[in-house]
Amino acid sequence: MVDPCNFDVRGAAHCYSLQEAFIGDQLFQSSEHSSNDLLWLAQSIFKSVKDQIVPLMSSIFLRRLLLPGIQHSTVLRATFQDYNKHLTDSEFYSLTVDGLKKEILSLVEHEVVSENPVSVFHCWKTFCTRYFHRWCKINEPFGILIDSSTGTIGLIRKNSVSLFRCLEDIELLIYGSLEEIGDILSFGLEFSDNTLDREILSEVLQCVINVNQQLGKVSSAIFYESLLSGPSISAEEFLPCVLKILETGYSSSVTALHTSELGADVAWEKEVVDHKNLRKFSIEMFLLLKALSSKAITWGKVLDVIERYLKFLVPRKIIQKFDSEVGFNINTSAVVQAMSQVAKVMFESALDILLLLSYLVNISGQNEKGSDTCHRLHRAEAEAGTGMVAGD
């Protein structure tokens, strides 16, 4: 397993993020966002509740449970036992990936009371909660491993070993602050005016964070899964649905579903909270865009910075040659996991920019943007979509 590491660029301190945080976030156990957002957003995007939403949620949870760094054979077997599913060593280790998916799916479906999305969702949530608690217990930290010759730092666990790594440039840019990072040119971002462009990019990323928080960080999970396994939805179909939520909130049909599935009182409380969050988002977005416009003076300058940032999101191809066949060992396992973590960040960053640009296109008339600026917004929007596919 590979745990990302953030660090002070002056070398004064290192701050490591544990694997538990990554797994909790992936399995919707994190307190940063509500896992219910996954259900609400899916209901807003897809018309067929049973035929589209239920398979989508199952695909999202299955894919995340089997991600590198999350899948753990001992934890999975222990979770199976919680559901009175007992497999021998030969039975369990003979399972293919598809076999594992079928076993997990059968356990969850057996717990489902009715076929409505809320029931299915809560069964998946319960399974992931059990899995996460089992993972933390089975992989309890025991001690620190330090290799002074290579500078490698690891965490010895009860049934595994975590290796820490430094964040890649794109991760530093997303998770850190530009003031702490130092020379932005070291990240491969070619800016004409280093100081001003850095400040503009910082403002743009603040807008991205605001959009991300309003959607509950689940839009990328839904779009990514729909691209890979279906129900398929194109960017042309996905974006209008999400933008409508950003501008006017959830539709009345979704509110009606909440009422029938959760009860009138819970649905009403949800509607009140959503309305307050929408007002807060709209006001903050107005202030952020106003500050961005004042700092950059022209929207053309903002788009220059965004276009350079989009080029930075295009993955770099790295080819490694091996003299002989390479077995699957701890080195290849760590590389695969680290690459999957970085690829996820790049995909989500491209989608976030795409959502922000689409939002700007929709409100372009309200912000007095000229025709040339609107044309460039559409072009940057198309480039963001291309970068998102490239980062997949």
Side-chain angles (χ1 to χ4, degrees), residues 275-293:
H275 183 68
K276 289 176 63 177
N277 289 339
L278 180 61
R279 288 187 60 186
K280 180 174 180 290
F281 166 77
S282 300
I283 293 171
E284 289 181 350
M285 207 66 193
F286 171 78
L287 295 175
L288 285 170
L289 292 176
K290 185 177 181 181
L292 180 60
S293 177

Side-chain angles (χ1 to χ4, degrees), residues 319-336:
I319 300 176
Q320 292 182 336
K321 296 182 178 179
F322 299 97
D323 297 331
S324 59
E325 289 189 13
V326 178
F328 191 77
N329 53 35
I330 190 171
N331 292 328
T332 55
S333 176
V335 169
V336 168

Side-chain angles (χ1 to χ4, degrees), residues 104-177:
I104 297 172
L105 191 59
S106 66
L107 293 177
V108 173
E109 289 179 342
H110 186 264
E111 299 293 313
V112 174
V113 177
S114 63
E115 288 298 322
N116 70 71
V118 173
S119 176
V120 175
F121 172 76
H122 284 296
C123 288
W124 275 112
K125 191 174 178 181
T126 299
F127 185 92
C128 289
T129 299
R130 288 179 174 179
Y131 184 91
F132 179 64
H133 290 162
R134 285 284 192 176
W135 195 100
C136 293
K137 184 176 181 180
I138 291 173
N139 292 286
E140 182 183 358
F142 273 177
I144 298 292
L145 171 66
I146 300 176
D147 186 345
S148 57
S149 62
T150 61
T152 302
I153 300 177
L155 182 64
I156 302 174
R157 298 177 179 273
K158 189 175 180 180
N159 283 279
S160 61
V161 176
S162 292
L163 298 177
F164 295 103
R165 66 174 177 85
C166 293
L167 295 179
E168 295 295 322
D169 292 348
I170 181 62
E171 294 174 303
L172 282 171
L173 198 57
I174 297 300
Y175 298 137
S177 65

Side-chain angles (χ1 to χ4, degrees), residues 77-93:
R77 291 186 70 180
T79 308
F80 281 2
Q81 291 171 8
D82 289 341
Y83 287 82
N84 293 320
K85 180 70 174 182
H86 301 277
L87 298 175
T88 64
D89 289 347
S90 60
E91 288 174 334
F92 182 83
Y93 290 107

